[in-house]
Amino acid sequence: MKNLALCSLALGLAAAPLHAQEVLRGVSAFATGTTFSKPFEAFVDRVNEQGAGVVQIEYLGGPEAVPTFELGNAVSAGIVDIANNTTAFYPNLLPAGDALHLATNTVQEQRENGCFDKIDALHQEQMNAKFLARTGDHIQFHIYLTEDVEGPDLSGRTIRTTPVYRAMLERLGATPVRTAPGEVYTALERGAIDGYGWPVQGVMDLGWNEQTSYRIDPGFYQVDVNFLVNLDRWNGLSEEARAVLEEAALWIEEKNAENLEINEREKERQAESGIQVIEFTGETAENYLSMAQDAGWGVVEAIDPEVAADLKPCLTQ
């Protein structure tokens, strides 16, 4: 709470008044200009262009503005008005949020089948936040290693994790450790970890490829990076301002389709940088992916069986 109070003071001092009817302070959990911050930055530009005179977002930066694992608390408390965050970084506020990365469908399909509204309701009830948009569709996670393995057995290896794939790593025999993204390079360099879990995109942004030798294929799960608005702030906005934000949300979600092409380019870049592929095929791959889903849903069911039963059908249909 002390850190949040300091963040609140710093953000208040940093905020320069913009000439608009409504001004929202925005922060990303990811460093500015990196893969998982770029969609939010594009969204901010869209809002500021379309919402001139109605609503504007003052982008205050990434983890330098609010530490990664405190951003969920900051948007919940209203210290930040709108945040670019992932459920992996706010499990203390939304314990069953792990379900989101287990989705096998798109955000458009989730809006159509009512799942989006259910996820929004959970955010509103449990963390005082409006679930405005989801980016990351089509981007899967992979395990990256400093040394080769012959199969899906990571016994004796220490792997950087988030709640996203902790249960999966434990099933594979690894020792998972949680660190912020900004600490991974040094941990690899010092040999404190033998690898990490991360999506196919973003490895090159952070320079981790310099310390990485292998990527395990196939990928598993699906990235969820979400735009969250403090609920009190959202409810206080004019209908016109909310309409601008919702239009920009749908606009950025349409761009998720571009991830399919971006993924292929990222794989090529990784190969050029020296990252080799350990590819599981046939029954091994099927068992690997089935185990990942079983481990993931097992965690959600243990935390909140009612939420798991409610979300699993509409996230995986």
Side-chain angles (χ1 to χ4, degrees):
M1 293 304 296
K2 179 181 179 182
N3 288 337
L4 282 178
L6 291 173
C7 287
S8 179
L9 176 61
L11 293 176
L13 292 174
L18 298 179
H19 299 290
Q21 183 176 338
E22 304 281 1
V23 180
L24 305 180
R25 295 167 298 176
V27 175
S28 176
F30 303 90
T32 301
T34 57
T35 294
F36 300 112
S37 185
K38 286 179 180 177
F40 183 65
E41 294 164 36
F43 166 83
V44 169
D45 290 341
R46 176 81 171 188
V47 169
N48 289 346
E49 177 184 346
Q50 299 294 317
V54 178
V55 61
Q56 299 282 276
I57 299 174
E58 184 176 13
Y59 177 63
L60 300 176
E64 75 280 3
V66 177
T68 297
F69 296 120
E70 294 181 12
L71 184 55
N73 290 324
V75 73
S76 179
I79 294 170
V80 168
D81 297 314
I82 183 167
N84 179 54
N85 208 346
T86 172
T87 53
F89 294 163
Y90 53 90
N92 57 314
L93 299 171
L94 194 73
D98 283 343
L100 272 65
H101 63 255
L102 301 173
T104 58
N105 54 10
T106 65
V107 67
Q108 287 84 8
E109 291 168 325
Q110 291 163 26
R111 284 183 179 274
E112 185 175 348
N113 68 18
C115 210
F116 189 94
D117 291 337
K118 294 179 180 182
I119 295 167
D120 181 23
L122 285 172
H123 279 79
Q124 292 193 31
E125 293 165 6
Q126 297 187 18
M127 63 180 295
N128 193 43
K130 167 70 178 174
F131 186 77
L132 181 64
R134 169 181 171 141
T135 64
D137 283 0
H138 309 297
I139 306 175
Q140 292 184 310
F141 293 89
H142 294 260
I143 296 173
Y144 296 84
L145 300 169
T146 56
E147 296 181 0
D148 196 3
V149 293
E150 294 184 0
D153 182 357
L154 300 179
S155 299
R157 298 174 191 266
T158 301
I159 308 295
R160 181 264 179 185
T161 190
T162 69
V164 171
Y165 29 76
R166 174 179 291 276
M168 177 185 177
L169 288 174
E170 289 174 344
R171 291 257 192 116
L172 294 174
T175 300
V177 295
R178 183 181 179 185
T179 65
E183 300 170 2
V184 173
Y185 186 98
T186 300
L188 289 166
E189 189 176 38
R190 294 177 177 174
I193 58 175
D194 303 303
Y196 52 91
W198 195 257
V200 67
Q201 295 185 31
V203 171
M204 309 290 286
D205 290 346
L206 302 164
W208 296 353
N209 57 296
E210 298 174 6
Q211 304 293 330
T212 304
S213 300
Y214 299 94
R215 183 188 74 243
I216 294 179
D217 284 357
F220 57 93
Y221 300 162
Q222 184 170 238
V223 166
D224 70 285
V225 179
N226 313 307
F227 300 172
L228 308 179
V229 185
N230 173 267
L231 186 58
D232 298 322
R233 192 73 172 93
W234 174 261
N235 289 336
L237 292 173
S238 67
E239 290 186 10
E240 190 177 7
R242 290 199 295 266
V244 170
L245 293 168
E246 289 172 333
E247 184 279 333
L250 294 176
W251 173 81
I252 199 65
E253 288 176 349
E254 288 295 329
K255 291 187 171 296
N256 283 339
E258 298 174 7
N259 285 324
L260 293 168
E261 182 179 344
I262 296 171
N263 292 342
E264 295 307 310
R265 293 203 301 266
E266 286 299 296
K267 289 179 180 179
E268 292 175 3
R269 292 178 66 205
Q270 288 182 19
E272 291 170 359
S273 75
I275 296 178
Q276 302 178 57
V277 177
I278 301 170
E279 186 169 4
F280 300 153
T281 60
E283 187 176 350
T284 300
E286 291 178 8
N287 292 338
Y288 177 71
L289 295 177
S290 177
M291 178 274 300
Q293 282 288 319
D294 289 345
W297 281 111
V299 169
V300 180
E301 289 164 357
I303 292 171
D304 195 325
E306 291 185 7
V307 168
D310 195 29
L311 293 185
K312 187 173 183 178
C314 64
L315 286 176
T316 59
Q317 68 180 30

